[in-house]
Amino acid sequence: MKEAVEMIVRALVDDVEAVDVREVKREGATLIEVRVAPGDMGKIIGRQGRTVRALRALAHAVSLKKKHRFVLEIVE
């Protein structure tokens, strides 16, 4: 899941080198933290949050398929 999110985020931003995606295992869930350059934050969030909502929908679909909860978080 981390690799898929990272590939999508790298395609969206201008500063590819500043993209940092981390996977943090927790009890019953995996937290995926996405960090980007401050100038690219708007591109990840999208208009009215549509892009980040789509990424979270993807994480939810994978959660249902793998029967393991994935939570996507954008970190400033």
Side-chain angles (χ1 to χ4, degrees), residues 32-45:
I32 299 173
E33 295 179 341
V34 178
R35 288 180 174 83
V36 295
D40 289 328
M41 191 64 78
K43 291 179 182 175
I44 294 300
I45 295 171

Side-chain angles (χ1 to χ4, degrees), residues 16-37:
V16 177
E17 299 300 318
V19 173
D20 181 30
V21 180
R22 295 183 184 169
E23 224 175 34
V24 179
K25 305 275 184 183
R26 293 185 178 174
E27 269 187 49
T30 300
L31 175 67
I32 299 173
E33 295 179 341
V34 178
R35 288 180 174 83
V36 295

Side-chain angles (χ1 to χ4, degrees), residues 44-55:
I44 294 300
I45 295 171
R47 288 188 179 176
Q48 297 179 353
R50 288 183 186 151
T51 305
V52 74
R53 197 174 321 132
L55 285 170

